[in-house]
Amino acid sequence: MTSTPQKTVPGVVTAAGDVPRTGHGRPARRRDHTVPPWLFVVPALVVYAVVVLYPSLAGVMYAFTDWSGIGGFSFTGLDNFRALLDDGRALESVTNTLLLTIAVVVVQNGIGLLLALGVHANIKSRAVLRLIFFAPAVVSPVMVAILWKYVYNPENGAGLNGLLGAVGLGGLRQDWLGNPSLALWSVAAMVVWQYAGYSMVVFLAGLQGVPAELHEAARIDGAGSWQRFRFVTWPLLAPALTINLMLSTIGGLKLFDQVYAATNGGPGTSSETLSTVLYKEAFVYGKFGYSTAVALVLALFVAAVSLVQLRYLRAREVTA
């Protein structure tokens, strides 16, 4: 019995193990219809370039010009930066920014850690307390500033002054936002009130990652509450501390909303920050070239402080 030879059709598998071949006997190539993965990134990159990269690069260029926001401009070299060094108001704003940042970072994270330790305890109302403490963090900073302007009402019977009078501490009543020596610290207090709950949540996430077995072993070895916190909990909170310190430092250095809405940098220049200075120079005095120079200095300053801080905190995480 003879078998009939099968006719091979180009590009078609005729039997198990056969390879599709072209009319010339060469193996046929499979067509790959897979879309290159980088094509999916292109739309996002285009939007990022238009919204972020182009304005940033344009701002760097305008920092070396006398642009007024409308019309043409001419390059002035380093004149804007020389003017910044001679501007007493801008230099005072640098001091105010640093003082405000230090106060916010220290107090906010200290209170946030205490709140986290408190709500981490096994108490029935811990879920409600977490919600109450975190709630201000989701409120608009401008709304918080408006609320605290009522709290800081200078009238004797209103707000904080009324509360001090009611508890017999009327001698401590102040014009909280109108006193040049208190305005900056009053703004710091409202910022701490708003974001201490946010720091609490980050610390709480770190606390929940500490193994209970370590605490139990330390308790068996005779360690007290403070010793367990100092030698067990605190080292393991290093990543959470890094996140909180970085966020609060960057937020303090570029703080604008609360300051502008509460004091507008006043009274005088006592609560002026770099962010309020660059805003006023641009939108009040029309010096967009000078304001972008201030913005560039602020951006470089924030980047330098953040990098130094991050390097130190990362090293601490390793040693902890």
Side-chain angles (χ1 to χ4, degrees):
M1 182 176 179
T2 60
S3 60
T4 305
Q6 295 182 351
K7 185 177 181 180
T8 303
V9 179
V12 178
V13 178
T14 57
D18 289 346
V19 178
R21 298 180 179 275
T22 63
H24 300 286
R26 294 189 301 269
R29 293 182 178 179
R30 293 183 179 180
R31 294 184 178 181
D32 189 1
H33 298 286
T34 304
V35 178
W38 59 267
L39 284 179
F40 293 97
V41 186
V42 171
L45 289 178
V46 172
V47 173
Y48 181 79
V50 173
V51 177
V52 178
L53 291 182
Y54 174 73
S56 300
L57 295 176
V60 173
M61 180 191 69
Y62 287 133
F64 299 92
T65 68
D66 59 355
W67 188 45
S68 62
I70 301 175
F73 58 85
S74 59
F75 286 93
T76 58
L78 299 176
D79 289 352
N80 288 329
F81 299 95
R82 295 191 186 98
L84 176 60
L85 294 176
D86 295 332
D87 189 347
R89 184 167 64 96
L91 295 178
E92 183 181 0
S93 71
V94 173
T95 303
N96 292 339
T97 302
L98 291 175
L99 291 175
L100 186 60
T101 301
I102 293 172
V104 168
V105 169
V106 174
V107 180
Q108 175 183 316
N109 287 288
I111 294 178
L113 179 58
L114 293 176
L115 292 177
L117 292 172
V119 299
H120 186 61
N122 190 20
I123 54 177
K124 294 182 179 180
S125 59
R126 61 182 182 275
V128 177
L129 291 175
R130 293 174 186 178
L131 177 62
I132 293 174
F133 293 143
F134 180 73
V138 301
V139 181
S140 167
V142 176
M143 293 302 299
V144 170
I146 294 174
L147 170 65
W148 277 80
K149 287 185 73 173
Y150 285 100
V151 174
Y152 288 139
N153 193 314
E155 298 295 330
N156 289 335
L160 181 58
N161 284 339
L163 178 62
L164 292 174
V167 297
L169 298 175
L172 298 179
R173 290 179 293 197
Q174 301 285 339
D175 185 0
W176 302 98
L177 297 177
N179 188 334
S181 62
L182 294 176
L184 187 68
W185 310 116
S186 299
V187 172
M190 73 172 69
V191 175
V192 169
W193 176 84
Q194 181 174 12
Y195 292 113
Y198 189 92
S199 298
M200 174 201 71
V201 171
V202 177
F203 280 127
L204 189 59
L207 288 172
Q208 291 175 343
V210 178
E213 295 81 3
L214 296 179
H215 282 285
E216 185 63 27
R219 187 181 294 108
I220 293 174
D221 290 339
S225 300
W226 167 250
Q227 291 175 320
R228 292 197 302 272
F229 172 78
R230 172 65 181 85
F231 297 105
V232 177
T233 304
W234 181 245
L236 296 178
L237 281 180
L241 181 65
T242 298
I243 295 173
N244 271 332
L245 290 181
M246 290 294 299
L247 292 177
S248 56
T249 299
I250 295 173
L253 290 175
K254 63 184 186 67
L255 196 64
F256 171 77
D257 302 53
Q258 294 92 334
V259 177
Y260 190 79
T263 66
N264 195 22
T269 59
S270 60
S271 62
E272 202 84 83
T273 64
L274 275 173
S275 296
T276 59
V277 167
L278 71 89
Y279 174 84
K280 291 179 181 179
E281 292 293 339
F283 298 103
V284 177
Y285 305 114
K287 299 179 181 179
F288 279 82
Y290 180 70
S291 69
T292 52
V294 177
L296 180 59
V297 170
L298 176 60
L300 294 176
F301 183 61
V302 171
V305 172
S306 301
L307 288 175
V308 172
Q309 187 182 47
L310 180 61
R311 184 173 181 179
Y312 170 77
L313 292 174
R314 287 298 186 188
R316 179 186 177 277
E317 289 183 24
V318 174
T319 57

